[in-house]
Amino acid sequence: RMEGFGYYTLPTGTEYRGSLWDGMFHGQGELLLPSGGGYRGLWVRGVPTQGKFTFADGLEYDEEKWHYCDGYDRRFYTEICSGFKPPGISQLKNLDPPKIIPEGCYDCGDGFYNPKTRVVVDYKHNFLRNADNDEHEWILRTCRKAWDITTEHKPKP
C-alpha cells in the first residue's frame, strides 16, 4: 500500500497530493479538481477532519460566514471582485464568457447535461457521470439551457 508523500490521480481526473498511510489519505493533503477548484486540509485515515475548499475562481468556502449568493446579494464572485458589466451586457454565470451549451443540453456547473441520455460530460466532452433522478430534476429546474427556439427579426408585410 502507498505510504509517505505522494500523488494519486483518481479516474475522474481529481488529483490528491499529500501524505498517505496504509493506502489512505492521512496527514496534510490537497485534492485538486479538474475544474480548477480544490480542497486543502488534514486527513485522518482517509477522512478529512479540517480544511478549506477553494473554488476555481479563488473564492474560499466558509461554513460559518458564508454570504455568497445567499438571497440578499446575488452577484457572482467575479462581479464582487471586478464590478458589474455595462448596462445591456448580461453576465450569465461566474466565469465569463460562458461556455456555449450544445443544443438540447444544460450547463450544470461542472459540464453539460443531456436530458435524453441523462449523461453529464465535462466542458471538453469527456464522460463525468450518469445523473440520478434527483440530479436530473434539479438540473431541469435550475440550470441554464441551450436555446430551443431561435429568434429572428421578421419584417412586417
Side-chain angles (χ1 to χ4, degrees), residues 66-154:
W66 185 250
H67 299 293
Y68 175 66
C69 231
D70 63 359
Y72 297 105
D73 185 355
R74 302 294 296 167
R75 293 178 295 167
F76 292 114
Y77 184 62
T78 52
E79 292 174 318
I80 293 169
C81 294
S82 305
F84 289 114
K85 291 184 169 293
I89 301 174
S90 298
Q91 184 166 340
L92 300 173
K93 57 185 290 183
N94 190 45
L95 300 176
D96 196 53
K99 305 280 185 190
I100 296 171
I101 305 170
E103 187 177 329
C105 295
Y106 292 79
D107 183 345
C108 59
D110 59 348
F112 300 121
Y113 175 67
N114 184 333
K116 291 180 182 172
T117 61
R118 291 190 170 215
V119 170
V120 177
V121 296
D122 66 15
Y123 293 121
K124 295 178 182 175
H125 300 283
N126 298 314
F127 176 83
L128 287 178
R129 65 185 174 278
N130 292 311
D132 62 15
N133 289 338
D134 290 338
E135 184 178 24
H136 171 80
E137 305 230 346
W138 180 84
I139 290 171
L140 297 183
R141 191 175 61 251
T142 61
C143 294
R144 199 167 61 92
K145 184 180 182 192
W147 289 98
D148 285 337
I149 303 166
T150 56
T151 56
E152 299 174 18
H153 174 69
K154 294 183 180 178

Side-chain angles (χ1 to χ4, degrees), residues 10 13 17-18 148 157:
L10 300 162
R17 296 178 182 182
D148 285 337

